[in-house]
């Protein structure tokens, strides 16, 4: 529900956030080589039996990956597939009865509609939520010599909630937030990988472990 205050629309998204957070996980990844690297990020639950999608840059090249559920339970995870070109990776944890995220249709997203970014913060037991709007659709951004068509939002996307969901007003996931994708010289611009693309890539990673047609 929304309440008009002058020219500002104040919207209570508490119920949407509370429900969606059940499908959001925190991800910690660590590399033991060299001086060692620790990365933190977020992910969303795809299936009740433990498949999780996140951003590739959050886990790529790491030796140990840990997933923290919304209730605080911790599980070791292994990589099902990692596609650095799309910045999408799929993990698996050995647990049943999880609550999968409700996936929407990113092709129906329009500029100006509300957007909610969920994720985790390093060292915090609770997740974080940021509210904004969809600032643009089909934004072509060059990533690793490939052009990706992305959603743009002014909802804050930080390192901790990279890999977490970008939701519409109904709690449906319309994109996966990525803190890696930036445009130099521009502030207040966050980008998310459209969920329709994420869904197709995740399906290939789960079935084949890689995306067909990628150069070695």
């Amino acid at each position: 529900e929304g309440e008009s205050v002058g020219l500002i629309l104040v919207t209570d998204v508490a119920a949407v956030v509370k429900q969606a957070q059940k499908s959001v996980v925190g991800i910690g990844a660590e590399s033991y080589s060299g001086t060692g690297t620790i990365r933190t990020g977020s992910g969303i639950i795809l299936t009740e039996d433990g498949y999780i999608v996140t951003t590739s840059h959050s886990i790529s090249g790491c030796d140990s990956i840990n997933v923290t559920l919304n209730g605080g339970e911790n599980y070791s995870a292994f990589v099902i597939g990692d596609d650095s070109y799309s910045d999408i990776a799929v993990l698996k944890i050995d647990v049943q009865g999880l609550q999968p995220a409700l996936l929407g249709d990113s092709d129906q997203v329009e500029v100006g509609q509300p957007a909610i970014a969920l994720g985790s913060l390093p060292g915090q037991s609770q997740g974080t939520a940021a509210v904004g709007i969809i600032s643009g659709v089909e934004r072509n951004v060059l990533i690793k010599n490939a052009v990706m068509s992305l959603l743009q939002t002014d909802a804050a996307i930080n390192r901790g909630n990279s890999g977490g969901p970008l939701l519409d007003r109904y709690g449906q996931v319309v994109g996966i937030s990525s803190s890696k994708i930036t445009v130099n010289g521009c502030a207040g611009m966050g980008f998310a990988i459209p969920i329709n693309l994420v869904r197709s890539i995740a399906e290939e990673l789960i079935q084949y472990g890689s995306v067909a047609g990628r150069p070695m």
Side-chain angles (χ1 to χ4, degrees):
E1 296 181 358
E3 177 184 352
S4 295
V5 182
L7 297 178
I8 301 174
L9 181 66
V10 181
T11 303
D12 185 351
V13 297
V16 169
V17 169
K18 183 177 181 180
Q19 180 66 22
Q21 279 181 334
K22 299 175 183 178
S23 303
V24 181
V25 302
I27 294 175
E30 187 172 359
S31 172
Y32 305 135
S33 61
T35 57
T37 301
I38 298 177
R39 304 177 199 165
T40 57
S42 302
I44 66 169
I45 298 170
L46 287 178
T47 65
E48 62 87 25
D49 60 344
Y51 284 97
I52 292 166
V53 66
T54 186
T55 44
S56 170
H57 73 268
S58 297
I59 58 92
S60 183
C62 289
D63 302 299
S64 174
I65 303 172
N66 183 72
V67 169
T68 303
L69 301 183
N70 184 59
E73 306 93 333
N74 290 291
Y75 296 91
S76 294
F78 60 90
V79 179
I80 294 296
D82 180 5
D83 185 52
S84 61
Y85 278 84
S86 63
D87 198 25
I88 291 297
V90 174
L91 310 177
K92 180 70 168 64
I93 58 177
D94 186 16
V95 63
Q96 300 286 331
L98 300 177
Q99 180 167 309
L102 179 62
L103 305 185
D105 182 358
S106 51
D107 289 341
Q108 301 302 314
V109 172
E110 297 182 340
V111 174
Q113 74 178 55
I116 308 164
L118 300 185
S120 61
L121 287 175
Q124 301 294 318
S125 59
Q126 295 183 333
T128 179
V131 178
I133 63 168
I134 297 295
S135 306
V137 297
E138 297 182 352
R139 296 297 199 209
N140 293 325
V141 180
L142 182 64
I143 305 168
K144 286 198 172 185
N145 299 317
V147 176
M148 290 184 63
S149 182
L150 306 170
L151 300 177
Q152 180 190 339
T153 180
D154 63 354
I157 296 175
N158 55 56
R159 180 170 56 90
N161 65 2
S162 183
L166 186 69
L167 309 172
D168 63 14
R169 74 185 73 185
Y170 307 109
Q172 299 178 116
V173 181
V174 295
I176 298 294
S177 303
S178 178
S179 64
K180 183 181 181 181
I181 305 169
T182 60
V183 175
N184 292 333
C186 296
M189 293 176 62
F191 292 95
I193 306 161
I195 197 62
N196 290 0
L197 175 61
V198 174
R199 183 190 287 113
S200 64
I201 289 174
E203 289 173 352
E204 286 203 55
L205 293 178
I206 291 172
Q207 186 169 1
Y208 305 112
S210 61
V211 177
R214 298 289 195 230
M216 296 298 292

